[in-house]
Amino acid sequence: MSVYQQAISYRNSGISIIPLSYGTQIPAGKLLPQVPNHRVPGTTKGTFRPYREAIATEKEIHTWFAPRGRLNVGVVLGLVSDGLFILDFDMEARTS
């Protein structure tokens, strides 16, 4: 299953998703809606805030993932995704 197909599957299951830069957990800002970047006047930055309240359309997901094979899928948790939450436990490696 391609990343695009996975993204559509999440959307069809009621899960809000966003594109992430490949191999990271960082939103792919250039693909997201742009807002003024107050740290660098005269520039913009990507924001995923709209996807905290509404699930991306199939057209948006197609634009993000269909032509690109090198993106990760980020899941937006909370009410927008029907209350979805995740518990993530990281354990330090033990050395003897």
Side-chain angles (χ1 to χ4, degrees), residues 10-60:
Y10 288 141
R11 182 201 185 283
N12 292 342
S13 297
I15 297 173
S16 182
I17 58 107
I18 60 169
L20 302 178
S21 297
Y22 183 75
T24 74
Q25 296 178 9
I26 300 169
K30 292 180 180 181
L31 299 176
L32 296 170
Q34 299 296 298
V35 295
N37 184 348
H38 299 293
R39 292 185 180 171
V40 184
T43 65
T44 61
K45 64 179 182 175
T47 182
F48 70 91
R49 285 187 179 266
Y51 307 105
R52 292 170 54 183
E53 296 180 11
I55 294 175
T57 65
E58 285 191 31
K59 183 177 179 180
E60 288 172 309

Side-chain angles (χ1 to χ4, degrees), residues 3-4 7 12-13 18 21 24 28 30 36-38 71 75-76 80 82 85 89 91 93-94:
V3 174
Y4 170 69
N12 292 342
S13 297
I18 60 169
S21 297
T24 74
K30 292 180 180 181
N37 184 348
H38 299 293
L71 290 172
V75 174
V76 182
V80 70
D82 200 25
F85 71 96
F89 296 94
M91 299 178 71
R94 292 186 184 191

Side-chain angles (χ1 to χ4, degrees), residues 65-88:
F65 295 103
R68 298 169 180 83
R70 305 285 298 181
L71 290 172
N72 290 351
V73 176
V75 174
V76 182
L77 305 176
L79 292 177
V80 70
S81 295
D82 200 25
L84 180 66
F85 71 96
I86 295 174
L87 298 175
D88 180 18

